[in-house]
Structures are given as structure tokens and as C-alpha cells.
Amino acid sequence: MDPAAPHPTPSRPDPVEEAVRRIRAHGERVTVARTAVLRVLADAGSYLTADQTFVRVNRAAPGVHRTTIYRALDALERLGLVVQTRMGQDAAAYQLSPSLLGATEPRLHVICRTCGRVDEVAADLLADVAQRLAAENQFTLDPTAVALTGQCTHCATGNRSNSPR
Amino acid sequence: MDPAAPHPTPSRPDPVEEAVRRIRAHGERVTVARTAVLRVLADAGSYLTADQTFVRVNRAAPGVHRTTIYRALDALERLGLVVQTRMGQDAAAYQLSPSLLGATEPRLHVICRTCGRVDEVAADLLADVAQRLAAENQFTLDPTAVALTGQCTHCATGNRSNSPR
DNA sequence: CTGCTTGCAAAGTGTTTGCAGGCCC
DNA sequence: GGGCCTGCAAACACTTTGCAAGCAG
């Protein structure tokens, strides 16, 4: 409850501050909408869709238009501050870039095709794959943008009682 | 050009015939639309979107409605005869199930985030990943449904002259 | 004949665009 | 103050749904 130490890692300031710095460094503008989007993504534990971001941003900064969320997310992605991932058929999902979080590895998730559940998995899972792609196909894999689809044990064992989505 | 040997592997007849057999085995109906969809997918070298399938089906069987393509693809996917993959932001892409082609491994592709190009890669690329997911996360990976995103050398080397999509 | 499939039209969802006004730098 | 960002409305692409008619089994 110490207001002076909101985070366990004081050495890493605030990802939002760092992001703002980088926006300026790129010569782009820091606006209420963009800052709010960054804050919301920073506070979110995992992926957020554009719509979820819209809802949360409007709690803190009412009046921000849905279109602006899309444009802000797009701009932040171009600046490398936000990463977009596609999971299944659904809306695109966004998270802060690992570089802002001090993480060397991005968060990696698997999604169950049947029940739609999302689980986090070992971040280095695709390390070998990335190396092989670089060597054999001259292709630089973006592990964050990869959505691994399949089935969780619960659904794979023929459990049909799950909500199909 | 020998009409009696259209395929180098005569032991495997026609994926469409096999698919039709399985449709019947599941107690579902074999229709012109479904057969045409299967034929088109069988003849296609790689992924087809629903719309591409629609266009090609209508060349062979004019009058088939776009909605029917969606419903046919959905039905065939439920029967395990067709696999759907999402690539980037674009429309869903479909291919015949590997089980129909006698292949043990599905086709695997990488897509360049910048220029949108799709390349086929080694089919066993994700074998280790699948094993790890099974062991560590009790998760059955569906390699066919995975779209690997990243950048091709051409775009990664700062080449900005590409059509951005 | 029974009811799964289809055609048609319309709605739905997620996302993008054009334009005028507003705010950041 | 110049021009990037935004709000608003409309368009957009892809996909789904309701209903009546049609065809497979």
C-alpha cells in the first residue's frame, strides 16, 4: 500500500512513459487518446481487442471515438510500441511491445479451437523454429504475431459439454 | 499426358472421391456444391479463400451462391475434410485436409507482414513445438491452422519499395 | 417423402476512409 | 500557426442468419 512503490521493479519506470518518449523520438505526437491506449494496454494482463481497448479507454478518457482507437493502435504498432496478434477468427488482439516491458521474449499464447480458451506458454517455444526459418527460408519470424491454434486436453478428450466458443 | 495415369501415385485414387465417401459415411449429403468445392480445393496448388473458391466453383457449376460456399466449407471442415487457416488480417483460407492427400504432414506457410507474400516451408517445422506443447501444456497443436507471420529478407532489409500489401 | 441443403436478401461484425475541425509541438 | 490527430458518418470486406423452395437419400 506504499504509494511511492506501486511496482515491485522500481528500476523499470513506467512502460507508458518510455513509450511516450519513443513517440516523441519518432517525431509523432503524444495525445490523450494514444496515452490512454498505452495505459490501458500496460494495465491489462494479456491481449486486448480493439473494442476492449475502446471500452477501457473511455472509462478513463470519455469521448474517445472507436475509430481513434483503431488509428492509435495502428500508429503505435507502426512505431513498434504495440504488437498485433490474430487469434482464431476473432478480432485482432493487441499487447504492449515486449521491448517496453523489459522482456526479451514476447508473451506467447495458445488458443483452443473448441472452447476458445487462451493459455500462456513458454516464451522460448518458437526459438528453434525462428532459427530454422532464418536459416532455411531467409524469413524473420515474428513470434508475437503468431497465434498457435489447437485443442486443450479438456476439449481433445471428446468433452463436448464445453461452450463451443 | 497419359490419361490413365494423371497422378504419379496411382495407389491413391482421387481425394474428391475419398471425401465423398467420407461425407456419406458421416450420413451427410453429397451435393453439387460440396463436390465442386472439393474439386476446386483439390486442384488448387495452395490455400484458397472463400471468395476464390466461390469464383472457381462458379466456373464449373454456375449458379452456386456465395453463401453456399461458406456453408459447404463449414460443413466440410466439421467433417474433417477441409482445414481452415487464418493468415494475417485477411480472409480465412482453406485447403483440403492432409488426410485426403495421403500426406502425413500438412502444408505449412509463412506470410510476410510487409509485402504479404506467402511461402511454403518445411512441413515438419513445428513437430518439436507440437511435442513440447503436448508435454508441457497438455495442448494438441493444430499445425495446419497456424499462420507464421514475420518478414521476408527482402522486406526485412529495409526495402520499402514493396507494395505494402 | 422427409428434412438436409440451397438461393436469396438482409443483417452483423470488425475495420477503414473522407472530410472538417481541433490540438500538439 | 502548420499540420498531425481526432470525431463523425459512411463505406467496406468478410461472414452469418432467416426463410421458403429444392433436391438427396
Side-chain angles (χ1 to χ4, degrees):
Chain A
M1 298 298 180
D2 181 354
H7 297 301
T9 318
S11 65
R12 173 152 298 277
D14 181 7
V16 177
E17 283 178 31
E18 172 62 18
V20 166
R21 210 168 299 134
R22 296 198 201 172
I23 293 176
R24 289 219 167 82
H26 279 272
E28 302 230 353
R29 297 186 180 172
V30 177
T31 66
V32 175
R34 290 179 176 183
T35 315
V37 166
L38 288 167
R39 170 101 285 139
V40 162
L41 287 181
D43 292 345
S46 67
Y47 291 109
L48 289 185
T49 65
D51 197 65
Q52 290 170 325
T53 308
F54 167 69
V55 171
R56 301 191 187 195
V57 163
N58 267 268
R59 283 208 275 266
V64 175
H65 202 272
R66 182 178 260 100
T67 303
T68 304
I69 303 293
Y70 279 102
R71 285 197 270 226
L73 286 170
D74 186 56
L76 294 173
E77 192 194 5
R78 275 200 318 272
L79 295 177
L81 305 174
V82 158
V83 196
Q84 185 202 59
T85 311
R86 272 251 157 200
M87 324 205 61
Q89 333 264 32
D90 300 333
Y94 300 85
Q95 60 180 330
L96 277 197
S97 164
S99 70
L100 286 176
L101 301 171
T104 55
E105 303 275 9
R107 286 190 192 130
L108 213 53
H109 297 79
V110 292
I111 179 170
C112 175
R113 175 186 278 296
T114 305
C115 68
R117 211 176 100 181
V118 175
D119 271 339
E120 191 161 346
V121 297
D124 66 338
L125 185 74
L126 292 176
D128 290 344
V129 170
Q131 281 195 5
R132 271 191 67 185
L133 280 176
E136 298 174 15
N137 300 87
Q138 292 78 49
F139 190 87
T140 309
L141 182 68
D142 180 0
T144 341
V146 175
L148 298 170
T149 308
Q151 278 194 317
C152 63
T153 315
H154 195 235
C155 294
T157 49
N159 193 325
R160 292 276 171 243
S161 61
N162 301 344
S163 60
R165 170 119 278 292
Chain B
M1 298 299 180
D2 181 356
H7 297 300
T9 318
S11 65
R12 174 153 298 277
D14 182 7
V16 177
E17 283 178 30
E18 172 61 21
V20 165
R21 210 168 299 135
R22 295 197 202 172
I23 294 176
R24 289 220 168 82
H26 279 271
E28 301 230 352
R29 294 185 182 172
V30 177
T31 66
V32 175
R34 290 179 177 183
T35 314
V37 166
L38 287 167
R39 171 101 286 139
V40 162
L41 288 180
D43 291 346
S46 67
Y47 291 108
L48 290 185
T49 66
D51 196 66
Q52 290 170 326
T53 309
F54 167 68
V55 171
R56 299 192 188 196
V57 162
N58 267 267
R59 284 208 274 266
V64 176
H65 202 271
R66 184 178 260 99
T67 304
T68 303
I69 303 294
Y70 279 102
R71 286 197 270 226
L73 286 170
D74 185 57
L76 295 172
E77 193 194 4
R78 276 200 318 272
L79 295 176
L81 305 175
V82 158
V83 194
Q84 186 202 60
T85 309
R86 274 252 158 197
M87 327 206 58
Q89 334 263 32
D90 298 334
Y94 300 85
Q95 61 181 330
L96 277 197
S97 163
S99 71
L100 286 176
L101 301 171
T104 55
E105 303 275 9
R107 286 190 192 130
L108 213 54
H109 298 78
V110 292
I111 179 171
C112 176
R113 174 185 279 295
T114 305
C115 66
R117 210 177 99 181
V118 176
D119 270 340
E120 190 161 346
V121 297
D124 66 338
L125 186 74
L126 292 176
D128 290 344
V129 170
Q131 281 195 4
R132 270 189 68 184
L133 280 176
E136 298 173 16
N137 301 86
Q138 292 77 49
F139 189 87
T140 309
L141 182 69
D142 180 1
T144 341
V146 176
L148 298 170
T149 308
Q151 278 194 317
C152 65
T153 314
H154 195 236
C155 294
T157 49
N159 193 326
R160 293 276 170 243
S161 61
N162 299 344
S163 59
R165 176 117 277 289

